Amino acid sequence: MRFHRKNRFKFTEKTQSRKGIAALVLAAVLLILYGIMVFLAYRSNGTLSPYYGSVGILAICFVIANMVLSIQSTMEENSFQLIPHMALILTVIAAICWIGTLVIGLIN
């Protein structure tokens, strides 16, 4: 005897958030850029040009903008929330990395 379950599909009007996708991509780029900058600083024994520091300041500005974008994407209605929440988490990690490095640099 076989039991057949009815396929239960839930049709929804939800879509993927474009702001969430953009925030996720930007957060990933910021983390990759952070990794590259740490590698370059390690390779040069910490004696990088001040121009590299300006890249760090610019990256912090992008982190702040991306934080606003990812928060806005989590507040969108009728959109799936997985990507915006992933974007927010990666943005917080990027903010901790970039701002933490700035604070450590200012202390030393």
Side-chain angles (χ1 to χ4, degrees), residues 22-85:
L24 183 65
V25 169
L26 185 57
V29 168
L30 286 167
L31 285 172
I32 291 169
L33 181 64
Y34 181 76
I36 291 170
M37 295 300 287
V38 167
F39 173 74
L40 290 174
Y42 174 76
R43 191 169 163 194
S44 69
N45 294 324
T47 58
L48 287 176
S49 154
Y51 295 111
Y52 289 101
S54 63
V55 170
I57 298 297
L58 186 63
I60 290 173
C61 294
F62 278 116
V63 163
I64 293 168
N66 196 33
M67 186 74 69
V68 171
L69 184 65
S70 61
I71 289 172
Q72 285 178 348
S73 69
T74 58
M75 293 182 185
E76 287 181 350
E77 293 181 12
N78 294 329
S79 66
F80 294 110
Q81 292 297 310
L82 178 66
I83 291 178
H85 283 92

